[in-house]
Amino acid sequence: MRPTQNLLGLKRRLQGLQLVVGFIFAVVVASYYRVQVLNHDHYVDLGEKYRIKKRPVMATRGLVYDREKRLITRNLPSYNLVLQRDEMDQPFQQALPNLAQFLEKPPEQLQHAYEEYRGSLLSQPIPLEENVSFETVLKALRNRLNFPGLAVEVSSRRDYVYPDLFSHVLGYVGEASSQDLQNNPDLMLGDVVGKRGIENSYNSVLTGIQGEKAIHINSRGVIFREEMENPPIPGGNLTLTLDLDLQMAAKQAIGEHGGVILLMDVRNGDLLVFYSSPTFDLNQFSKQMSREQWADLINQPGQPLFNRPLQGLYAPGSIFKLVTVLSALHNNLIHSNTKVYCSGSYQYLGRTFHCHKRDGHGELDLWEAIQKSCNVYMYTISKDLGAQALAETAYDLGFGQKSGIDVVGEKLGIVPSPKWKQQTTGKPWYSGETLNMAIGQGNVQVTPIQLVKMMAIIASEGHCPQPHILKGLEHQGEEQPFEPTISRCSTIETEHFTTVKTAMWQVVNRPSGTGSAAAIPGFDVCGKTGTAQLLTFRSEADRKLERNMNAWFAGFAPLDNPQVAILVLVEQVGAGSTKAAPIAREVLSAYFLKYGRLPAL
Amino acid sequence: MKRVGLMDQVSLVLTLMLALVGIVFVHSSTHSVPGQSLMWVKQTLYLATGMVIYTVLALSDYKRWVDRGNWLGILGILLLVAVLVWGHKVNGARSWFRFPMFSLQPSEFVKISTILWVTKYFSSIQERPSSLIEFSVSCLMIGVPVGLIVMQPDLGTALLYLPFFLIPNFLLGNKESIWVTCIGILFVGLIIGGVIFKPNWVFFLKPYQKDRIIAFIYPERDTSNSGYQVHQSKISIGQGGLFGMGIGKGKQTKLGFLPAQHNDFILAVVAEESGFLGMSALMVMFLVLFWRGLATAVEARDSMGSMLAALAIGTLALQTLFNGAMLTGLVPTTGIPCPLVSAGGSSMWTTCALLGLVQSVRAHRFVNH
């Protein structure tokens, strides 16, 4: 045994040990105080960050109806496979090989999708595959725990009830491109935006406002509760001016030919028919399109994606003679019974300009000149008129400028003039060009929408309706009808329009008129045909080939209190009188069958 | 039965209360986990058998056990060798014997045999010899089991052997040993510094051990593995606030964000569900238990009893404090359970045995009895 003083020392040291233990206990308890009491809020926030994740909730895109409230664009559910990065339990590169094998996809494709979303919010899902089958959904759900982060998201996909009927006017939607993202800071990667047509021009109305929900998950990523924090605000619904029945009639009338049919209400600018042929299947764009499908669409000879009514630039041919006549009347060079002798050709500065009737029309007045579409008459009056005056009238009637339609992408066209030629080519204007311009050839380029607008201006004797597709929209329960503006826009006197209208009535309703194939007894259809030569031809035989001619018919009906203006273009088929006028008749018949009273037989 | 009257009733009650708190929170953290729903029943069985060991040891004279210290010490070393050979590998460490119904962790039980061995050695010294010789011998006696445990590798449990050579030398007033201890702590500091700044130089630590040290220094940097545990345990503890979320109502722990929450991290569940007040109460209970144990050492009839009680309490106090401090990130994460509270048989039986031996010292404090 130890000496007693040692035992006393032992006692003292044991008591010292008690103090040391007590002190360390105090330190540990203090550390709990700091975490639990002082930093309580911080850790509550941190905990929520682990348990609660924010997820965007897409707003449903607005629906689109025709003028009689028949649904033409809707949304269908789509089950998409997505990758939720903030639920993954390992870095993407590590998960990639197994994930790619599981999804039976090349790893490069997943890698590409991942790269595209680098730098976006972690809570944003990366789309892997859209609109997957029910079996794939089940397979993904069953294996959820093996692939944390792999999720099935229900979204809606755009569905066009009549997939190829309204293609060019409706347009389609797609994921926002980098260009879109740059232009609109509110857009997020993966957002759906309208790419063309109505989907594009009314995108802000259709889109709605994205909401947000909070999902509560456990450590294995299993969602056990969801709360809607900001409900999404659905997009507004659009009612269009288009008429399903008439659009169908138009499609049927033109068939497989390339071309355009436009039917516009001259009283308010409502477009009842907007058809561009050939067409394409809009629903192709709601799925992920393969490279081959896309190449196929782009390379088709008929160029189905081409929006002809707004972007097609055409020589108007004889329809432009109406501009020449109105210009001459407006500048007091002629009056309605000014007579000209047509010998079948016209000599001007040593060149010979032909009429389409080689043996000549003989002597004719203005009415007959329009009715028979005489070139020599136009040559004669345009020589005195001059190119500048003609260009001014063309501009007055809406050429060389946008029609103002509420669909983006409209082309301007070209109204040539000496000044224009000097500026663009640096060469002087030859007087012979004026003669070519007077019959709608040469450098004149117009869009179909400009032509139908001109018909409306003539029909309403100088008033210009704004062509439009939107009839009204319904946004958050509020109905807002589109209010068209109509004002007198032309400087041409009313009586000159009356003269031309009468001539146009004769074109259709006189047996010798070129547009007689468009006549509907009792409805006083008025119009003008055109046959525009397409290519420079080598021989007289080439010139006669139908595939080198675009057929036009432009007009309105009825003569008194006109209701609708019509434009028909059929590409590369021959003369307007035989190829375009009958189609106009079919479409107008469909219109009057529905909206007018057919006279009792 | 007079020995029962001489036992410390307060310590007995505190031991039972702490173990019951443990059962409550083992139930809270496991009853809804598939495959673990009956863990609290198992824990109750461990406590019951533990209390049998406790009573047997408390009623016997501790001198009988200390006298067998040499044999028990060598038996302990053989056990540790055996586990290195036949042990079952869990998380890269060969620390467990696996039996059909249960597993045993010998490094826990070897704590008891090592304490008895060390006590026998120091109490057998009649005359005061050179303190450096004592220190060297104790280093060898403790160094062999510690070395074997480090080889498993299980640094946490090895750490709990630290009091075995600190306390005897401290109690005997060996100044040199205090110096050696300081050098040892400096050495550990150098290792930690090496891991952080030049990891390649510290060739003798396993990669996951380096990770744990780095995770300890920068818990927010790596939230996937070791750092993740501390990060999550701090979040769980922080949720608790002053009053806690109520037993069984913890948010972070119940959703499974915190790993190993029924054993090594059970105090985080206690803290989240019973708040700072509950946690403080638990810590005060431990403190009183250990203080009374050290008081027993003071009152012991001989230096053998003092040494035995001080060593037992020393290792238990270090274990409790280290476990508590690791959850708030004060010290690095090591796989050691909280005595009495954490789920597990080896830890429960070892703790009961050590506290039983302390009771025996108390019950035999009067020389003449």
Side-chain angles (χ1 to χ4, degrees):
Chain A
M1 279 291 117
R2 304 226 158 217
T4 326
Q5 73 268 22
N6 245 8
L7 269 181
L8 284 172
L10 184 77
K11 205 168 257 184
R12 226 179 42 244
R13 290 195 182 94
L14 281 168
Q15 282 159 352
L17 202 56
Q18 278 186 323
L19 285 181
V20 170
V21 170
F23 175 73
I24 302 176
F25 261 101
V27 171
V28 171
V29 170
S31 81
Y32 278 82
Y33 184 76
R34 199 185 62 171
V35 174
Q36 296 201 273
V37 182
L38 297 183
N39 293 331
H40 176 60
D41 295 340
H42 169 67
Y43 286 109
V44 168
D45 285 352
L46 266 183
E48 281 184 355
K49 223 175 81 189
Y50 276 93
R51 296 191 308 269
I52 303 172
K53 314 259 179 200
K54 306 283 184 194
R55 292 282 178 266
V57 185
M58 295 301 153
T60 47
R61 205 171 165 84
L63 305 174
V64 181
Y65 302 95
D66 90 327
R67 67 183 297 117
E68 292 181 332
K69 282 273 179 194
R70 287 172 289 194
L71 191 62
I72 54 179
T73 305
R74 61 183 173 179
N75 303 305
L76 291 179
S78 164
Y79 296 93
N80 310 323
L81 283 187
V82 296
L83 191 65
Q84 223 40 98
R85 282 165 295 173
D86 55 0
E87 286 172 20
M88 291 179 75
D89 64 345
Q90 55 182 339
F92 177 78
Q93 295 305 338
Q94 267 172 38
L96 182 59
N98 286 333
L99 200 61
Q101 201 187 1
F102 176 68
L103 296 175
E104 293 163 21
K105 278 176 176 289
E108 304 81 52
Q109 191 187 333
L110 302 184
Q111 178 78 35
H112 180 74
Y114 179 78
E115 295 293 336
E116 212 174 310
Y117 279 73
R118 188 183 288 277
S120 65
L121 282 181
L122 269 191
S123 60
Q124 250 224 293
I126 301 178
L128 299 179
E129 192 176 349
E130 283 171 11
N131 201 20
V132 295
S133 67
F134 195 57
E135 286 75 37
T136 312
V137 170
L138 281 183
K139 185 179 153 199
L141 289 180
R142 265 203 303 271
N143 288 283
R144 211 188 146 141
L145 294 183
N146 299 334
F147 298 98
L150 184 65
V152 177
E153 185 195 66
V154 189
S155 69
S156 63
R157 86 190 137 85
R158 217 55 170 153
D159 181 72
Y160 301 92
V161 184
Y162 307 93
D164 61 357
L165 189 57
F166 298 99
S167 307
H168 300 88
V169 64
L170 291 181
Y172 49 87
V173 296
E175 248 179 54
S177 65
S178 48
Q179 182 99 46
D180 295 329
L181 294 171
Q182 247 173 25
N183 294 343
N184 186 351
D186 292 338
L187 277 180
M188 290 212 302
L189 202 62
D191 277 0
V192 165
V193 296
K195 293 286 188 186
R196 289 181 186 213
I198 288 295
E199 294 277 20
N200 179 292
S201 50
Y202 290 103
N203 187 55
S204 55
V205 179
L206 289 166
T207 301
I209 298 166
Q210 182 177 302
E212 193 176 55
K213 67 182 174 183
I215 61 165
H216 296 241
I217 63 167
N218 67 11
S219 63
R220 309 193 71 188
V222 175
I223 300 169
F224 61 93
R225 195 150 62 96
E226 278 192 19
E227 273 167 24
M228 192 63 80
E229 298 213 320
N230 295 312
I233 298 169
N237 298 335
L238 306 183
T239 304
L240 304 185
T241 58
L242 299 170
D243 185 296
L244 176 62
D245 304 320
L246 298 184
Q247 184 86 2
M248 280 176 161
K251 181 175 190 244
Q252 206 182 359
I254 197 165
E256 297 301 310
H257 296 297
V260 173
I261 299 180
L262 296 171
L263 185 71
M264 184 166 91
D265 192 322
V266 300
R267 296 161 295 189
N268 53 24
D270 282 3
L271 276 156
L272 299 160
V273 171
F274 185 110
Y275 188 72
S276 179
S277 185
T279 182
F280 60 97
D281 181 356
L282 278 181
N283 286 336
Q284 269 184 292
F285 289 84
S286 302
K287 303 172 198 121
Q288 271 165 342
M289 207 187 281
S290 72
R291 217 172 282 261
E292 292 75 37
Q293 277 177 307
W294 181 248
D296 189 44
L297 263 180
I298 295 273
N299 297 330
Q300 274 186 36
Q303 290 179 282
L305 290 181
F306 187 35
N307 190 347
R308 288 172 164 76
L310 304 188
Q311 298 179 329
L313 293 174
Y314 298 91
S318 301
I319 297 173
F320 202 75
K321 288 173 185 165
L322 298 175
V323 179
T324 309
V325 166
L326 280 168
S327 187
L329 286 168
H330 177 60
N331 289 294
N332 293 318
L333 284 174
I334 54 165
H335 44 83
S336 50
N337 41 25
T338 301
K339 289 192 169 67
V340 166
Y341 182 80
C342 170
S343 65
S345 66
Y346 186 73
Q347 299 292 323
Y348 183 65
L349 298 176
R351 265 186 72 188
T352 306
F353 292 83
H354 290 283
C355 190
H356 60 89
K357 193 168 187 219
R358 283 305 152 105
D359 50 357
H361 290 105
E363 194 183 58
L364 24 62
D365 60 12
L366 177 62
W367 318 90
E368 290 165 317
I370 293 177
Q371 191 188 319
K372 295 176 178 163
S373 201
C374 176
N375 288 359
V376 172
Y377 194 98
M378 301 302 150
Y379 297 148
T380 312
I381 62 175
S382 66
K383 182 192 61 171
D384 301 330
L385 189 59
Q388 191 54 44
L390 189 51
E392 273 164 29
T393 305
Y395 203 80
D396 187 276
L397 291 167
F399 296 104
Q401 54 193 309
K402 292 189 175 182
S403 72
I405 189 172
D406 49 352
V407 178
V408 290
E410 203 181 339
K411 288 266 165 65
L412 288 173
I414 295 169
V415 175
S417 67
K419 211 170 134 194
W420 166 85
K421 194 176 176 195
Q422 188 66 45
Q423 276 171 0
T424 51
T425 65
K427 288 176 188 158
W429 182 267
Y430 300 109
S431 306
E433 290 179 69
T434 313
L435 273 62
N436 256 334
M437 184 178 165
I439 60 163
Q441 295 287 348
N443 286 316
V444 194
Q445 287 193 328
V446 303
T447 61
I449 191 78
Q450 285 171 342
L451 283 175
V452 81
K453 187 179 177 184
M454 179 183 76
M455 286 302 128
I457 293 172
I458 293 172
S460 58
E461 294 165 1
H463 289 81
C464 304
Q466 184 202 342
H468 61 268
I469 296 292
L470 184 74
K471 190 159 186 288
L473 53 89
E474 184 196 336
H475 202 213
Q476 288 173 264
E478 258 179 75
E479 301 254 3
Q480 295 169 30
F482 180 89
E483 273 157 36
T485 51
I486 292 192
S487 56
R488 195 179 161 86
C489 61
S490 178
T491 57
I492 298 166
E493 296 76 7
T494 311
E495 73 249 38
H496 300 324
F497 282 119
T498 321
T499 306
V500 167
K501 279 167 77 173
T502 313
M504 285 171 74
W505 181 85
Q506 292 175 355
V507 168
V508 176
N509 295 288
R510 288 277 159 80
S512 55
T514 55
S516 54
I520 306 169
F523 283 100
D524 291 327
V525 176
C526 309
K528 179 78 193 76
T529 58
T531 307
Q533 265 121 23
L534 264 188
L535 307 163
T536 46
F537 32 83
R538 291 235 167 78
S539 64
E540 208 43 27
D542 263 1
R543 207 174 93 94
K544 293 267 168 63
L545 278 181
E546 288 188 331
R547 66 177 153 81
N548 284 335
M549 289 186 268
N550 281 347
W552 289 102
F553 181 89
F556 59 89
L559 176 64
D560 299 318
N561 301 317
Q563 295 174 18
V564 284
I566 188 164
L567 179 100
V568 175
L569 162 68
V570 193
E571 289 175 358
Q572 296 179 287
V573 289
S577 54
T578 55
K579 304 294 182 182
I583 293 176
R585 184 184 190 280
E586 273 186 59
V587 175
L588 286 171
S589 302
Y591 172 81
F592 284 117
L593 195 62
K594 183 164 180 181
Y595 292 98
R597 279 167 294 107
L598 271 180
L601 293 171
Chain B
M1 286 314 282
K2 63 182 177 180
R3 297 281 170 214
V4 177
L6 286 171
M7 275 165 54
D8 181 9
Q9 316 294 335
V10 176
S11 291
L12 177 62
V13 170
L14 284 173
T15 303
L16 283 171
M17 277 173 63
L18 285 166
L20 287 174
V21 167
I23 291 169
V24 168
F25 284 98
V26 166
H27 178 264
S28 163
S29 55
T30 57
H31 73 97
S32 59
V33 180
Q36 297 188 345
S37 55
L38 288 180
M39 192 168 274
W40 67 277
V41 178
K42 264 171 132 178
Q43 183 70 359
T44 311
L45 287 174
Y46 294 149
L47 174 61
T49 43
M51 287 321 288
V52 172
I53 298 170
Y54 183 96
T55 314
V56 168
L57 289 177
L59 294 179
S60 66
D61 190 339
Y62 60 90
K63 193 171 178 302
R64 281 172 56 195
W65 302 104
V66 176
D67 285 345
R68 291 171 174 83
N70 289 340
W71 294 111
L72 288 170
I74 288 163
L75 182 70
I77 287 170
L78 290 178
L79 263 177
L80 290 177
V81 172
V83 82
L84 277 179
V85 178
W86 294 295
H88 185 75
K89 211 164 185 172
V90 179
N91 295 333
R94 213 176 277 281
S95 312
W96 293 82
F97 283 126
R98 200 168 180 186
F99 300 104
M101 296 292 291
F102 61 103
S103 301
L104 287 179
Q105 192 181 5
S107 54
E108 283 284 338
F109 302 111
V110 175
K111 277 196 280 190
I112 310 168
S113 62
T114 306
I115 285 175
L116 293 170
W117 199 14
V118 170
T119 306
K120 179 172 172 67
Y121 171 69
F122 280 98
S123 57
S124 67
I125 300 164
Q126 297 298 318
E127 297 303 320
R128 187 179 167 74
S130 153
S131 57
L132 268 182
I133 292 179
E134 287 174 17
F135 184 71
S136 306
V137 171
S138 66
C139 276
L140 203 68
M141 285 168 66
I142 302 151
V144 172
V146 165
L148 289 169
I149 294 170
V150 169
M151 282 167 72
Q152 290 179 355
D154 183 357
L155 287 189
T157 308
L159 180 80
L160 300 179
Y161 285 64
L162 188 69
F164 300 161
F165 74 93
L166 273 185
I167 288 175
N169 289 291
F170 171 68
L171 292 184
L172 297 177
N174 294 344
K175 289 202 179 63
E176 295 84 346
S177 62
I178 308 295
W179 283 112
V180 173
T181 309
C182 287
I183 292 166
I185 289 170
L186 200 69
F187 180 66
V188 172
L190 280 176
I191 292 175
I192 292 176
V195 168
I196 291 162
F197 297 110
K198 293 271 179 212
N200 293 337
W201 291 6
V202 193
F203 54 87
F204 51 87
L205 288 180
K206 311 242 165 179
Y208 81 90
Q209 292 169 329
K210 290 181 190 175
D211 285 350
R212 283 186 175 179
I213 292 173
I214 289 171
F216 166 62
I217 307 292
Y218 306 106
E220 320 290 333
R221 181 189 281 180
D222 163 42
T223 54
S224 57
N225 300 308
S226 306
Y228 173 81
Q229 293 184 333
V230 181
H231 191 58
Q232 286 297 336
S233 91
K234 281 170 92 169
I235 290 173
S236 305
I237 293 166
Q239 306 287 313
L242 196 56
F243 300 103
M245 316 193 86
I247 290 168
K249 291 178 184 158
K251 275 188 185 159
Q252 204 73 9
T253 50
K254 288 297 163 288
L255 296 177
F257 285 102
L258 184 64
Q261 50 177 280
H262 56 282
N263 43 50
D264 295 357
F265 284 85
I266 196 158
L267 288 188
V269 183
V270 177
E272 188 186 18
E273 299 190 351
S274 68
F276 177 67
L277 291 181
M279 194 62 203
S280 305
L282 190 83
M283 286 315 223
V284 167
M285 280 155 73
F286 270 118
L287 182 59
V288 171
L289 180 66
F290 297 148
W291 264 357
R292 293 192 74 90
L294 290 174
T296 298
V298 171
E299 292 170 352
R301 71 175 174 213
D302 48 18
S303 65
M304 181 196 279
S306 295
M307 196 70 78
L308 180 61
L311 284 172
I313 296 299
T315 190
L316 288 177
L318 181 66
Q319 189 178 349
T320 310
L321 288 169
F322 209 92
N323 183 273
M326 136 188 138
L327 300 192
T328 55
L330 283 183
V331 294
T333 315
T334 49
I336 54 172
C338 178
L340 297 172
V341 183
S342 289
S346 298
S347 169
M348 176 66 88
W349 291 327
T350 304
T351 307
C352 285
L354 291 175
L355 291 172
L357 285 172
V358 175
Q359 280 290 21
S360 169
V361 173
R362 169 97 183 173
H364 297 85
R365 65 184 180 277
F366 304 116
V367 183
N368 297 332
H369 282 78

